[in-house]
Structure formats: C-alpha cells, structure tokens
Amino acid sequence: TLAEEPGSVLVDIRPAAQRAAEGEIPEAVVVERNVLEWRFDPTSDARLPIATGDDLQVIVICSEGYTSSLAADALRQLGLWRATDVIGGYHAWAAAGLPTRGGA
C-alpha cells in the first residue's frame, strides 16, 4: 500500500468525529489539519519523528479531496516538494475497495 512505500507516509487530516462517522484507513498517520505544517516541517520543534527532511513524500487524505489539496500545497510551500493528496479523498479510497475499518 501507499503507507508501505519507503520515504512516504499517508496522512489522514480529517477531524476525529469525521473519522468516527466515515471510517479510518488502518495504516494512515492521523494529523489533524490545524497542526499539519508544524508536524511535518523538518525545522519545527513539534515535528513528528518521521519528518526528517524535504524529500519525505506526504500523501494527504481528507474526506472528499478538497482540503487535502490545499494542505498538500501548504506542505510544498514549506519545501516538502513530494507532498501530494488523494483525489476524491476517503470517499474515493473506500469506493475503490482499499483498506478501511470502522465507521457508522
């Protein structure tokens, strides 16, 4: 899966209530949108341990693909040149039969 590719991470930016209602992606790292830049900026004291450089491929996913496009652009502006998102978001992911769990 995407999360198993070396040098890449799938990041779910949906709020907790939305993940609970829609379901989750088992291997995704959950980082809500309001702290995304802090967690992936390699120069930030609040960065995640995996955020070690600009070549990390961060694949952002939201509910429908709109917020994730803006979030990926914000990460690219920080210098994470490989940041991208999932077109259609979680809804497209689930519709394609990719791994999910939970949901209402």
Side-chain angles (χ1 to χ4, degrees), residues 23-84:
E24 298 184 63
I25 299 171
E27 297 173 0
V29 173
V30 174
V31 178
E32 290 193 15
R33 176 63 191 99
N34 60 333
V35 296
L36 184 68
E37 289 87 346
W38 296 333
R39 298 293 189 233
F40 282 97
D41 182 346
T43 66
S44 171
D45 291 339
R47 74 182 178 278
L48 293 172
I50 58 174
T52 57
D54 294 341
D55 59 343
L56 177 67
Q57 183 176 34
V58 181
I59 305 163
V60 185
I61 192 165
C62 66
S63 185
E64 296 179 346
Y66 301 108
T67 305
S68 61
S69 293
L70 297 172
D73 185 59
L75 292 175
R76 286 190 298 273
Q77 289 180 34
L78 284 176
L80 293 153
W81 60 276
R82 296 177 64 205
T84 190

